[in-house]
Amino acid sequence: MAYKHKVRKPLIAGNWKMNDLKGDARSLAKSIALETKKIDLNCEVLICPPFTVLSGVKNALWGSNVKLGAQDCSWAENGAHTGDISPVMLKEVGCEYVILGHSERRTDHKETSSMVRSKAKAAHKAGLRTIICIGETLAEREAGLAKEVCEKQIMTSVPKESNGGNTVIAYEPVWAIGTGKTPTPDEVEDMHAFIRSVLVKKLGAMPAVRMRILYGGSMKPSNAEQLLSLKDVDGGLIGGASLKVEDFMSIIKKVK
Ligand code: 13P
């Protein structure tokens, strides 16, 4: 067992995004539940389907070790917030995690880092673990600003009470999401080490050392083994490949 795994249990999380109606979602979840029971898991496994199928997927996962998460939540507990879903509601339906600040939400819904921080605080209060996403655009990377952008996102998106128990960071370079492109292993390793150093600065050594940092962006069976073996890469946040049982299982099995 690698040193990092003694301190931080790897997490393989599937972000289903806006995909799958009830029938497909249930059968995908059932297959993942079944397949994960056949192997010795070296990691925590999580799936994050759309809100509308959370309840059905929860039932499909019954009796398995696969955990349930959502893709966003409100910063409010309840009240006049048309169209929003509160962290308490997610908890009630069986979620343990919620993804926050995904670049698609930052772009489509103009979510700012301070909004992400408010949502994370509310989620923690409700007893949910948060997966807080950060990452630079291609223009930012090409301008040499990748680290500066990620540092700023961490400093403003992550609440100060965050720790390894309630928070996971997902580094997702925007230009790698859904494109088939990934940074080189050296670039990923360098960025993850940098992210950990920023977390040390923000939260102190102990919470930072215990906090998992996932890589996300075109992770697939063919590159997962290399990415997951890198120092400070504590798992993956997987989009497209999490919608196919064989691909998702293949990535899960690459955690050594
Ligand atoms: P892809 O794996 O499809 O690139 O998506 C990554 C992602 O955005 C996960 O949150």
Side-chain angles (χ1 to χ4, degrees), residues 70-91:
Q71 300 170 19
D72 179 45
C73 71
S74 173
W75 46 267
E77 231 169 86
N78 54 38
H81 302 285
T82 304
D84 284 338
I85 304 283
S86 82
V88 183
M89 292 168 178
L90 296 179
K91 190 80 182 155

Side-chain angles (χ1 to χ4, degrees), residues 15 17 99 102 104 172 176-179 216-219 237-241:
N15 175 7
K17 308 193 178 182
I99 298 171
H102 191 282
E104 286 149 16
E172 299 204 306
I177 295 176
T179 58
S218 297
M219 189 183 274
L237 182 56
I238 297 132

Side-chain angles (χ1 to χ4, degrees), residues 12-33:
I12 298 293
N15 175 7
W16 291 8
K17 308 193 178 182
M18 198 170 69
N19 290 295
D20 281 359
L21 299 178
K22 214 160 48 178
D24 287 339
R26 278 183 65 92
S27 67
L28 177 56
K30 268 194 171 154
S31 302
I32 295 168

